[in-house]
Amino acid sequence: MAKFIDGLYYSESHEYVRVEGNYGYIGITDYAQNALGNVVYVDMPEVDDEVTAGEEFGAVESVKAASDLNSPVSGTVVEVNSALEDSPELINQDAFANWIIKVELSDKGELDNLMDAKAYEEMCNK
């Protein structure tokens, strides 16, 4: 069964953002990694790239399918999770611990457009 963690912000396209100060750690949700199956590749942007809320920033490929990654927030990429380059399966082991990109948030107000864990869980259960 998928995990839903309180305190994170969730998008309808199954990405989450964990906010720490002015930074957001973005990854795919546990629900999404369960649906994808074994992750074999993660396509990530470069450091200093700009991401825009609701727009594509990369992709996750699994043995079943490839899925675009859409950013839940806007900002500048300050770090990518380089561990995923050699070990993309880390997302399957713990999607929430293995974020994909870290961004400096340009507009914290965008968080208001995202769901909390309860609302996201309800959406997933429909």
Side-chain angles (χ1 to χ4, degrees):
M1 185 161 148
K3 290 192 302 190
F4 302 91
I5 298 180
D6 287 330
L8 301 181
Y9 298 88
Y10 297 87
S11 68
E12 287 186 13
S13 55
H14 305 289
E15 290 84 17
Y16 70 83
V17 58
R18 182 181 82 234
V19 177
E20 293 182 7
N22 288 326
Y23 296 97
Y25 294 83
I26 299 170
I28 66 169
T29 65
D30 192 52
Y31 179 88
Q33 73 80 18
N34 273 330
L36 280 169
N38 293 332
V39 175
V40 294
Y41 178 73
V42 182
D43 180 35
M44 297 178 275
E46 302 284 325
V47 169
D48 293 331
D49 282 0
E50 297 290 324
V51 295
T52 303
E55 294 190 8
E56 184 182 329
F57 72 85
V60 173
E61 293 179 22
S62 73
V63 292
K64 287 192 219 172
S67 183
D68 290 338
L69 296 168
N70 295 304
S71 186
V73 291
S74 301
T76 304
V77 178
V78 294
E79 191 177 345
V80 297
N81 187 347
S82 57
L84 297 176
E85 292 171 11
D86 294 326
S87 303
E89 69 279 1
L90 290 170
I91 289 177
N92 295 116
Q93 292 168 20
D94 189 337
F96 293 117
N98 292 289
W99 48 273
I100 296 170
I101 59 172
K102 176 182 176 181
V103 299
E104 186 168 5
L105 303 172
S106 58
D107 180 3
K108 279 188 154 178
E110 290 174 340
L111 297 170
D112 296 339
N113 301 328
L114 301 171
M115 293 174 275
D116 63 13
K118 185 174 192 294
Y120 179 69
E121 185 173 5
E122 287 171 4
M123 183 194 85
C124 290
N125 288 334
K126 285 183 181 169

